[in-house]
Amino acid sequence: MEELEFVGKTSEDCVVADQVTPLKSRDSFTSGLGVIAATLGSAVGLGNIWKFPSLTGLNGGAAFIIVYILAAFMAGVPVMIAELMLGRRSRSDALTTFRVLEPKRAQWGLIGAAGVLSAFLILAFYTEVAGWVIAYVFKAASGSLLSTDPKVTSAAFEKLIADPVQSVFWQCIVLVFVGAIIIAGVSKGIEKTTKRLMPVLFAILVMIGVRSLMLPGAAAGLNFLFRPDFSKVTGAVLLTAMGLAFFKLSVGMGTMITYGSYFTKEENIPLTALRVMLADLTVSILAGIAIFPAVFTYGFKPEAGPSLLFITIPAVFSQIPFGSAFVMLFFVLAAIAATGAMLSIMEVPVAYLHHRFSMSRLKATTMTVILLALIGSTAALSNSVLAGVKPFGMTFFDLYDFLTSNLLMPVGGFFICLYAGWVWGPQKVKEALSNDGELKNGGVITLFLYLLKYVAPISIGIILLRGLKII
Ligand code: PHE
């Protein structure tokens, strides 16, 4: 299939032709390294540092990690491959992709529309956590976080999140920062930034991990991370693990469709997806290795939940020599991780507006950032002014998190599998994933098709219904 097939044709099938920008004028990733940096940059994020360790701590340690890995292989990676493949074929944003590939069946476009909605909801709470992270970098630098008493670090965190002005302020700083990189473009903004940041991220992570492993509680921490206790794995935990796999791998909402549209023709998509999944898992485990030995050494509880990052970490690292530097390094790490992820999420609506309405990136990004500042403030204020407003029994912050990870992304993933496996169909999948016969990866494609058509949708369906207590 030709990439520019739709441009300039007049048949009914090509109704979207006038909306598809020709490939030549489209900004794309420029090298294999750039593709990996940007895609891994999207996967690695606060999920590895803020969600993965705390969910592991809450749900029984190693048993949760095993369930997570299964969910990632059975559902996360297949959806990622499918998204990258569809995006690269259509050369379009998350919404237009379905209009291009399926001009006569408009209902599939709903997947893309839900994706754009998810992007807004995720960024609404994600930029808030990223805002706290940036605030903590400054606090750590000034030494004001240095306390070995979790009551003190907890009070400091409460004070930050309960302050409406600070919450909104830090969130806006994050939005403007991410927006500025997005405006610079796909290759000059996203690719360049993630290429620079990813090596720094690994270096910092290894440094903190090594330091943590030298602590006396290292054995207890590792034991917790690697010795499974399956008694805690319930239906809800399965859904949490699957939601985490989708969130971690940035799938089910069009991010990977959008990034796939910037992939070169030569890129080996299944291999890229596998590499990204494994590297991302390594980062999550390294984050666990950085955190849990320290937590056990100083007698903290591993099951602290989300507060692990902002309350336990400062208290724990304050106990070791040069603690302040380590706390700061830790939050710099989190800020770097968050950046690549936020870039990929914001790119979803920006690419859509840019592409569909021929808006400049500047205008598309400005509109997105303003809208996000509005929606995001409901999350930012959910620990202060809006603390009492609880639709469905959750604050806006928790609601956006729950809705996206546990509902929209798995549902999106489910329909992407159905579409790619059953509607678009095996023949086109084979052509797309073998790069039109260039790659001799028939075995991989057969396995992928089996996962895509049966394993992924069935397991997503069952886990969703069980997790939501419908069956
Ligand atoms: N994968 C990112 C993380 O782990 C979050 C993310 C979700 C990014 C959805 C893009 C799309 O933090």
Side-chain angles (χ1 to χ4, degrees), residues 43 51 75 77 106 123 150 168 181 232 248-249 262 289 304 315 320 327 332 347 373 432 437:
K51 277 194 169 207
V77 174
L123 275 181
V168 173
I181 304 176
K232 287 207 172 157
K248 281 290 340 90
L249 298 175
Y262 305 138
I289 291 178
I320 58 181
V327 176
V332 169
E347 183 63 18

Side-chain angles (χ1 to χ4, degrees), residues 35-106:
V35 163
I36 284 281
T39 316
L40 184 59
S42 167
V44 169
L46 289 172
N48 305 65
I49 294 163
W50 169 62
K51 277 194 169 207
F52 191 97
S54 67
L55 289 176
T56 303
L58 281 170
N59 298 307
F64 181 78
I65 300 184
I66 293 175
V67 176
Y68 166 80
I69 294 176
L70 283 178
F73 272 114
M74 284 163 52
V77 174
V79 177
M80 185 189 239
I81 297 176
E83 284 195 34
L84 291 172
M85 167 185 83
L86 297 174
R88 186 172 66 176
R89 264 311 191 221
S90 72
R91 294 272 166 215
S92 304
D93 59 88
L95 245 158
T96 317
T97 282
F98 295 96
R99 296 169 59 104
V100 169
L101 301 179
E102 217 54 54
K104 288 197 187 133
R105 284 179 268 211

Side-chain angles (χ1 to χ4, degrees), residues 1 19 25 43 58 60 75-76 115 183 200 213 233 247 265 276 287 300 307 310 317 343 389 426 445 461 471:
M1 174 165 152
Q19 291 144 17
S25 68
L58 281 170
I183 290 170
V200 183
L213 283 178
V233 180
F247 188 84
K265 285 209 300 287
V276 167
F300 286 87
S307 65
F310 295 99
F317 282 88
L343 286 173
V389 187
I445 297 176
I471 53 171

